[in-house]
Amino acid sequence: MSITLTSWNIVTKQDTYWYNVDSSQGAVIFSENTVAFEARNGGGDSIIVFKDVLLNTGNRFSSSTGKFTAPYSGLHLCAAKICHNKSYIFYIKKNGYVMEKKEVTTSNTAVVCSSLTCVTYLETGDKVNIYVHVDGLSHSVPENVKNEFIGWLR
């Protein structure tokens, strides 16, 4: 499939399908099943649960578990931002295995935010989540900061 970029495109959503309309040709140039999510204000002890869901196209992100489940196989882009006032390590995990990891050191006074991004191939049913280990202990990550988890499967 080739995609032609023009001076502007309109992206619209109908159910779980996204359409990209080429303004110069007046035609749909991209149309396929897309799954995407954006969730914020996550907190918890280890697995971070993001309760404020801003986008959940395809309903594959669970705000009760904090996990995304792939409805079909494909490339998945995911990113997370975690904020805390203690040193922490955070991970993007697939089926319990670490895909990406970042260690963040703070002075234990100011809140420090850090982000992590990865692209991976998911099989149908694979689960992706964010895991945080704070300051060598199992301190809880507060929900009242702008922690985020986003993902897109194609």
Side-chain angles (χ1 to χ4, degrees):
M1 171 194 327
S2 67
I3 297 177
T4 305
L5 298 177
T6 61
S7 58
W8 59 272
N9 291 321
I10 300 172
V11 178
T12 61
K13 176 185 166 259
Q14 182 178 15
D15 296 326
T16 59
Y17 293 88
W18 291 79
Y19 300 93
N20 193 347
V21 180
D22 185 326
S23 64
S24 66
Q25 299 175 23
V28 174
I29 60 169
F30 174 77
S31 172
E32 65 182 74
N33 196 4
T34 301
V35 176
F37 69 90
E38 180 181 2
R40 291 188 181 158
N41 297 328
D45 290 328
S46 295
I47 293 176
I48 305 304
V49 177
F50 297 84
K51 297 186 179 186
D52 295 341
V53 179
L54 304 172
L55 174 71
N56 197 5
T57 304
N59 295 314
R60 303 308 294 188
F61 177 77
S62 169
S63 61
S64 62
T65 66
K67 294 182 180 182
F68 168 78
T69 304
Y72 53 84
S73 298
L75 286 177
H76 177 67
L77 167 73
C78 57
K81 179 181 79 170
I82 299 294
C83 305
H84 207 292
N85 66 345
K86 299 205 178 294
S87 296
Y88 60 95
I89 304 170
F90 80 106
Y91 311 84
I92 297 176
K93 290 187 172 186
K94 175 174 77 172
N95 300 328
Y97 295 97
V98 175
M99 293 188 303
E100 291 292 330
K101 164 185 161 178
K102 183 179 266 186
E103 294 185 42
V104 181
T105 304
T106 81
S107 62
N108 292 329
T109 55
V111 172
V112 173
C113 297
S114 187
S115 62
L116 193 56
T117 305
C118 75
V119 175
T120 189
Y121 186 82
L122 296 181
E123 297 286 345
T124 302
D126 281 351
K127 296 184 183 317
V128 177
N129 68 289
I130 305 303
Y131 179 91
V132 176
H133 190 74
V134 179
D135 206 13
L137 304 169
S138 221
H139 291 297
S140 183
V141 173
E143 291 180 23
N144 59 348
V145 293
K146 297 285 185 187
N147 297 322
E148 297 177 292
F149 184 24
I150 64 168
W152 180 72
L153 178 65
R154 174 179 162 140

